[in-house]
Amino acid sequence: MTANPLAPAWLLPPADANELPATVWSQNSTRAASGMLEVAGVSASTLAAEFGTPLYVMDEADVRVRAAEVRACFDREFGRVGSAAKVYYAGKAFLCTEIARWVTEAGLYIDVCSGGELAVALAAGVDPARLGLHGNNKSRAEIDRAVREGVGVIVIDSLIEIERIADAAARHSRVQPVRLRLNSGVHAHTHEYLATAREDQKFGITLADAPDAVARIRFHDSLRFLGLHSHIGSQIFESDGFVESAKRLLALHAELLSGGPIPELNLGGGFGIAYTSVDTALPMPEIAARFADIVASECARLGIPVPVVAVEPGRSIVGPSTFTLYQVGTIKDVEVTLPHLGTAIRKYVSVDGGMSDNIRTALYAADYSVRLANRVSTVQPALVRVAGKHCESGDIVVLADYLPGDVAPGDLLAVPATGAYGWAMANNYNYLARPAVVAVRDGVARVIVRGETEADLLSRDAGIRPDDVTAPTGATEQGAR
Ligand code: LLP
């Protein structure tokens, strides 16, 4: 089969449009003998019938295994170089009480970046000492609560915050451990960083301002300086940026040791995952080994002890675990005229969700892939664009992939790798209800976050008088339960 000229260059017609590439799908996703997509022994059609669509379907064991793996890799590698590691799960990728418990059981700490995320972690029963609080504009109330609850570490993001956190700690008669977030000037996208002195962005403080900031932190009896922090970006496939950032931070770390001990160094998160079959993510053992090697060799060069190294992955722990299950509603073959190439057909397949359950495509032109979930088909693949049901032409879930050409209304579609920043960034645009999240493990599916109902959608409208509305149905047209 020849490629559709409307397809991006990287997307080749598949040998088998039903295949589930292991790099993109969760570890327990398979095709049953019937052709049906199954996760941990539960079929896509059972999930759709029981919980409705759209639906986030999470492979629980996949999350637990990845959380345990990242911890084991970093423990092993930093043990090898005579130190230790702390792995924080970045809750912004997807936080609910169940996930907070899973990652805690795997031995991870949790990074929260707002009062709301802090409340979820506390509601899950996570020991506050295992939490880190981030944010470039934490409110006084957020700082106060974090200090009062005994949050393990607060990451200072600006000079203004030093006094705010010191005051809160003094008021609560606590000594609050803090890190200092730096804008190391390293760009995440590989070699570009080499020429860049400073990133034009809101997070952290410059390396030049750091010595003064650390002196101010050390001046306060109510603060304990735990170390420097840097997060260079997200969805990173190359290790060069991390290496450069570690070098810059360790040079400063070594300089600051003259003023007192610095037990830790936090190198942030951002490890990339595969969204399509052409993405190649670095395996976690390799990431951990490279981090340990660079930190150890730089420390040896600088003649300083290797600090405890903290990392904060979010996407790489939950991203690959989840697919979003949709039902096809309408299909249109749209003829597109291409200069010098004549015409080509792009099949628009519209599903019952869209930019309200996955805004990453609209926001970042992120690529995803898609598969038929309720059956397989050997009909010649067609280039498709999976669109949502919102009143906006940019409401696309999958920009381009091939599906069997007989895809039809009523079919179920599954879009993999939606576990990170999917539900977390879901919204109610056009009054669509946010879908439920179902965790599947060992043949059992259970709701871990319920879907919104029509009653939820109306519940905050202060203008509604009881007589004006017919009793909410309890479920929306989308079937959220
Ligand atoms: N630590 C800090 C300080 C962060 O800001 C982030 C992500 C992480 C850790 C976790 O990064 P991860 O390992 O998940 O890449 N909404 C965007 C991603 C924004 C990431 C924000 N910070 C997306 O959907 O791609």
Side-chain angles (χ1 to χ4, degrees), residues 160-367:
I160 293 171
E161 275 190 347
I162 298 174
E163 267 66 44
R164 288 186 190 164
I165 299 169
D167 286 354
R171 252 186 294 114
H172 292 287
S173 309
R174 286 186 178 275
V175 176
Q176 178 62 53
V178 294
R179 301 185 197 278
L180 181 64
R181 179 160 181 180
L182 298 176
N183 174 357
S184 66
V186 173
H187 272 220
H189 301 292
T190 63
H191 302 296
E192 218 185 313
Y193 64 77
L194 290 172
T196 311
R198 185 172 176 182
E199 269 188 304
D200 191 359
Q201 50 100 336
K202 67 177 181 172
F203 293 109
I205 68 163
T206 61
L207 298 176
D209 286 341
D212 176 49
V214 172
R216 281 169 61 184
I217 292 169
R218 283 175 164 154
F219 169 79
H220 290 283
D221 293 338
S222 60
L223 300 180
R224 183 162 87 90
F225 182 53
L226 215 53
L228 302 173
H229 174 285
S230 134
H231 170 77
I232 59 169
S234 206
Q235 184 60 2
I236 302 167
F237 286 129
E238 312 279 336
S239 58
D240 320 30
F242 293 115
V243 167
E244 184 60 25
S245 165
K247 283 186 183 170
R248 293 186 191 183
L249 261 67
L250 279 166
L252 183 60
H253 174 105
E255 188 187 317
L256 295 168
L257 279 173
S258 59
I262 311 176
E264 300 188 9
L265 176 73
N266 188 325
L267 293 174
F271 317 145
I273 65 165
Y275 283 96
T276 73
S277 58
V278 297
D279 290 335
T280 315
L282 278 176
M284 199 53 75
E286 208 168 312
I287 295 175
R290 288 192 194 179
F291 271 52
D293 286 344
I294 183 67
V295 170
S297 66
E298 280 299 294
C299 288
R301 200 177 60 78
L302 294 160
I304 58 170
V306 180
V308 170
V309 165
V311 287
E312 298 171 342
R315 187 191 316 264
S316 51
I317 293 174
V318 285
S321 69
T322 300
F323 60 80
T324 312
L325 192 60
Y326 300 100
Q327 186 167 41
V328 176
T330 59
I331 296 186
K332 280 177 199 165
D333 282 345
V334 175
E335 194 175 89
V336 180
T337 306
L338 290 153
H340 317 300
L341 287 170
T343 62
I345 301 286
R346 192 195 304 277
K347 200 182 265 302
Y348 275 80
V349 179
S350 290
V351 295
D352 46 1
M355 63 194 295
S356 49
D357 60 73
N358 185 354
I359 201 170
R360 295 191 70 259
T361 312
L363 208 51
Y364 315 118
D367 284 311

Side-chain angles (χ1 to χ4, degrees), residues 90-109:
K92 67 205 79 187
F94 181 8
L95 195 65
C96 64
T97 54
E98 276 284 329
I99 293 177
R101 289 188 197 111
W102 302 348
V103 297
T104 301
E105 282 166 24
L108 270 53
Y109 295 71

Side-chain angles (χ1 to χ4, degrees), residues 454-475:
E454 190 177 298
D456 289 325
L457 294 177
L458 299 180
S459 64
R460 287 177 303 128
D461 188 325
I464 294 177
R465 288 165 296 195
D467 297 344
D468 286 348
V469 279
T470 49
T473 58

